Amino acid sequence: QVQLVESGGGSVQAGGSLRLSCAASGYSFSSICMGWFRQAPGKEREGVASISSGGGRTYYGDSVKGRFTVSRDNSKNTVFLQMNSLKPEDTGMYYCAAAPRHWLICGLDWTEFDDWGRGTQVTVSS
């Protein structure tokens, strides 16, 4: 049974940091791309970051480059998103996603990610 469970969201002031985690089960985790997406009320889903199966390739949305870092621990079937220098526009629901059809070229096209967690809320106040 495939399952993705996010944690680590919360409320923080602008300039602060948060670290999101996503625990995956039901996959050959070390063989698939993983990603983070977010959605704010009234806005479209946005690709935040993704990482290849071995962690060697990472992809970032333009709005988070230089501030967010995606990483993974294949021994623990977990993917992380370190978010620094947070801005109010980073507010939204953050979703972990798995792309079992991909292992190296991951990208940020949400339609290529087949499985999704329930999300964790991130709120950044000014």
Side-chain angles (χ1 to χ4, degrees):
Q1 182 178 354
V2 168
Q3 190 172 26
L4 298 169
V5 180
E6 303 97 335
S7 60
S11 297
V12 64
Q13 288 195 324
S17 299
L18 284 173
R19 189 189 195 209
L20 306 184
S21 299
C22 172
S25 59
Y27 296 101
S28 179
F29 184 78
S30 61
S31 300
I32 66 173
C33 287
M34 296 294 297
W36 289 96
F37 296 78
R38 68 186 182 189
Q39 190 163 20
K43 293 189 176 181
E44 293 185 353
R45 191 177 324 189
E46 176 186 8
V48 176
S50 66
I51 186 167
S52 62
S53 58
R57 292 195 183 190
T58 55
Y59 306 79
Y60 294 96
D62 288 341
S63 62
V64 306
K65 283 179 182 176
R67 300 187 298 123
F68 290 11
T69 302
V70 61
S71 61
R72 65 193 295 162
D73 185 342
N74 285 347
S75 69
K76 297 182 179 178
N77 286 9
T78 302
V79 62
F80 305 97
L81 184 67
Q82 178 67 44
M83 305 185 295
N84 298 329
S85 302
L86 282 161
K87 305 175 180 180
E89 50 264 44
D90 294 318
T91 294
M93 188 70 78
Y94 282 68
Y95 298 93
C96 173
R101 293 175 284 143
H102 304 286
W103 63 278
L104 184 61
I105 309 298
C106 306
L108 293 173
D109 179 355
W110 66 269
T111 63
E112 296 295 325
F113 289 76
D114 298 320
D115 301 305
W116 296 78
R118 297 183 121 178
T120 185
Q121 178 68 36
V122 171
T123 302
V124 184
S125 58
S126 57

